[in-house]
Amino acid sequence: MSLSVDGNKPNEEAADHQRDTSEPSRLESCLDQPMGSSSVHEDVKYLPSPLPAEHYDADTTEPISCGLQTLEELLSWKRSEANPFNVAAVPLAPREPPLARCLHRTLVSHDMMGGYLDDRFAQGTNTEAPYAFYHWQYIDIFNYFTHKMVTIPPAVWTNAAHKHGVVVLGTFITEWTDGAAVCEAFLKEEESYRAVADKLVQISYCYGFDGWLINIENPLSKVAVENTPLFLRYLTDQMHERVSGSLVLWYDSVIENGQLTWQNELNESNRMFFDACDGFFTNYNWTEQNLEWMQDYSGVQGRQADVYIGVDVFARGKVVGGMLETNKALEVIRKHKFSAAIFAPGWVYETHSDKTQFRKNQDNFWALLSDYLYIHRPASPLPFISSFCQGFGKAIYWRGQREATRSWFNLTAQEIQPLYYHTELEGQGSLEGQGWLSSRGCPEDAWNGGCSLLLDGLIPATHTSPVCARIFSLHVPLPSKTLVTLIYKPSTGIKVSLELKTTDASLCTHNVQDVKLVSPVALDDRLQPLSLFTQLCGSLSPDGWTVGCSQLELRGCDLREVCLNIQRNGQPQDTAFSCRVGEIMLLDVASLQVPPELVQGLCIYDVVWLRAAGTSPESTSLRLHLNATLRWDYPTHLVRHFRVYWRRLRGPDPRIPPGELVLVGRAYSNIFRVTELAVPEAPSLLELVVEPVIRKGFPVPESHWGRRSLSYTEDSTR
């Protein structure tokens, strides 16, 4: 088994590059395209796809995520051959409290049906009933787990987690006889274990995730087990140096003599591994006596938060809790002041045959655990924008209109998630019983993305004060002037107002202020950008959405909670209600301007031509299909997404005029793969167009969009 490393010294790649999301080597053909020319020419050739099969679907050339199976694959990995579509587009967002200050952390280890399912499609996919996770405010660390030797998290997961300040870990695992051989090869000496660690650091750095769970589930020789803590310490130190906020965790498996003996606790037999890294993930068959003993164990003192007690939601073996009693395990773990590692919470999806009830089942499961979980708050400065999209839905909406009518899944499209809950209200309803309030995602209608936030419930006749529905828990500094936009659709018989709860930043925990915003409110529209919002504010869209705006003037305040107050109109009586919230947006008035940046450097490369049947049922002839990668430059922090269009400029029949722009799809970074696009027969000329959709809602002038034309003719050499 070869342990040679490619030409770079350890970490030389990582040292020479800041987390660069551009593609390093496959761009040669792209960069060769003259920027002074707006057109690229291609000969139509029907050849097998030259794209690497591990990164692109063999049939459609769609970009996909994957892991590494062997030690040879790991040691031969090169940044220049990395998958550009699996590079995370979202940096780790700040949160409050920071992970380092959390004394009772929650880790989720996502292990589902072998991994790399619908989530392997880097640009999303069309699927009726996907698995998704959206209760990010409850967890601190997300681990993507498979039984491949090196599990690289799909970028869609990293993007969604990072938006919520959640750290993402890949997995390095060895198992069985083959795993033992791998360990003997790379743990035999310093040079070999450093070579493996260097590659793991480079992979994490390149793809933009935050560390590793190390899981050695096979016996080790005396030499290998002695080198394991050295490997862990070197890997941990290098990760800390190269990736800010990174973590390396060890799974409870082998012990100091090299035997594979799960301890279900941290003790003298496995402490040597814990001491060499950032944390310890216990096996699942612990008892409360294990936790009681660990509380007093000297090896834990000062690092109790770094001990993650494993909880298998499938409840395999002799375990505490699991399934719909997982809360019992968390109760014991929190009683003894340890962190928790929840393994395979996708149980709520895998074991329930009716996937249409997934949202309900998932919400019920996490509500069951909520008493033992600790909410962390987004802490990024303004703008703060969310349309509550969970990254999947029955249609794609834009400003209340359906942009595409199909079921879809793309976790990168997920926006900052609200609080989901079901709670009882004070007061007894005379007819309907106890009053209640529910908060949940609903795909039946939306303002942007795939779903809206649905608040519904019953206000009892005896409940006279407004119902306060908490939507977000935040820690966001507010500027002196803030524009607040609320887009909502209430049922009849209620009135709605937005309430912001703030703290005086200088006092931190005192002088709580409640700022109530009743829509619509007139704005100071002397600023031209504000006038754009004024045109919307107070309006009722054709689909019944109300757009309400307010301009706040507050100094030295931090925003802590966003709530919706709901109050009945008329006489006290049991009142059923619903209010669909489409979007909440808070903007710094001083920053309201259309960005001056232009989409630049749009290029087309990795073109693959295919012949395939048309999409309509009556189509019988084979159509010409274009598959190509587009890449451009634009500040991604300014955008919600990009719209990618195409149009026909000129075709074989000169009598047919140029066509209108047709939407191809949405991109969430500066790279997009066009796949299975039916285009006119050669010879022809078409145009590909990229429109930035700005987070703050301003339309970008077409003069700032990116454009590139592609001419193509049949290959004359055939």
Side-chain angles (χ1 to χ4, degrees), residues 678-691:
V679 296
E681 293 296 321
S684 192
L685 177 69
L686 59 82
E687 184 179 43
L688 293 160
V689 179
V690 175
E691 175 197 6

Side-chain angles (χ1 to χ4, degrees), residues 350-655:
E350 288 190 58
T351 59
H352 291 77
S353 58
D354 187 359
K355 305 305 184 190
T356 64
Q357 296 298 306
F358 166 63
R359 277 187 173 92
K360 179 181 178 181
N361 294 335
Q362 170 125 303
D363 291 347
N364 289 343
F365 177 79
W366 287 95
L368 184 72
L369 309 185
S370 61
D371 286 345
Y372 308 105
L373 303 173
Y374 303 94
I375 290 175
H376 62 81
R377 304 176 180 90
S380 298
L382 298 187
F384 177 84
I385 303 161
S386 181
S387 62
F388 313 103
C389 180
Q390 294 174 334
F392 65 111
K394 298 178 179 180
I396 300 175
Y397 291 82
W398 178 247
R399 296 194 170 179
Q401 303 291 315
R402 290 192 174 199
E403 191 172 85
T405 303
R406 64 176 187 274
S407 294
W408 63 279
F409 169 75
N410 185 349
L411 284 175
T412 298
Q414 192 177 95
E415 301 203 351
I416 298 294
Q417 290 298 289
L419 303 171
Y420 297 107
Y421 53 84
H422 180 96
T423 187
E424 305 298 325
L425 300 178
E426 296 177 1
Q428 294 296 321
S430 57
L431 296 176
E432 303 289 344
Q434 178 73 43
W436 55 275
L437 168 66
S438 175
S439 163
R440 55 193 171 92
C442 181
E444 302 306 325
D445 195 4
W447 179 254
N448 284 331
C451 73
S452 54
L453 176 66
L454 183 62
L455 303 171
D456 59 359
L458 175 73
I459 305 174
T462 55
H463 192 101
T464 56
S465 59
V467 173
C468 180
R470 294 176 64 216
I471 298 178
F472 291 109
S473 182
L474 306 170
H475 190 93
V476 175
L478 292 177
S480 58
K481 290 185 179 182
T482 304
L483 175 68
V484 183
T485 302
L486 168 67
I487 299 173
Y488 64 105
K489 188 184 291 190
S491 60
T492 58
I494 60 171
K495 55 184 177 182
V496 172
S497 64
L498 193 66
E499 181 177 352
L500 306 184
K501 296 186 177 182
T502 69
T503 58
D504 185 310
S506 64
L507 299 177
C508 295
T509 58
H510 299 84
N511 191 22
V512 176
Q513 306 170 31
D514 293 347
V515 183
K516 296 184 180 179
L517 312 171
V518 183
S519 303
V521 175
L523 297 175
D524 176 2
D525 62 359
R526 290 171 292 181
L527 294 174
Q528 189 273 335
L530 269 180
S531 67
L532 297 175
F533 284 96
T534 306
Q535 296 166 17
L536 286 174
C537 292
S539 66
L540 195 68
S541 77
D543 294 298
W545 293 99
T546 296
V547 182
C549 308
S550 290
Q551 183 177 316
L552 302 180
E553 294 194 18
L554 300 171
R555 295 186 181 277
C557 291
D558 283 355
L559 178 61
R560 299 303 299 272
E561 287 190 1
V562 177
C563 307
L564 204 67
N565 284 331
I566 301 168
Q567 192 164 17
R568 75 164 64 84
N569 289 322
Q571 297 300 313
Q573 58 181 332
D574 290 351
T575 305
F577 71 89
S578 68
C579 183
R580 190 178 296 278
V581 187
E583 186 168 272
I584 291 176
M585 181 160 53
L586 293 93
L587 306 177
D588 182 354
V589 171
S591 69
L592 292 182
Q593 58 184 2
V594 178
E597 288 83 0
L598 285 68
V599 174
Q600 296 182 319
L602 176 60
C603 55
I604 305 168
Y605 62 109
D606 281 348
V607 174
V608 175
W609 298 98
L610 298 172
R611 284 223 170 255
T615 55
S616 61
E618 61 273 10
S619 173
T620 57
S621 60
L622 296 181
R623 297 284 306 276
L624 179 62
H625 282 193
L626 169 67
N627 305 270
T629 296
L630 310 184
R631 185 183 173 277
W632 59 90
D633 293 319
Y634 195 84
T636 53
H637 69 277
L638 298 176
V639 301
R640 202 166 204 161
H641 56 266
F642 299 91
R643 286 198 190 95
V644 178
Y645 304 92
W646 84 281
R647 66 169 176 160
R648 174 190 174 280
L649 294 179
R650 186 176 66 249
D653 186 346
R655 296 169 296 179

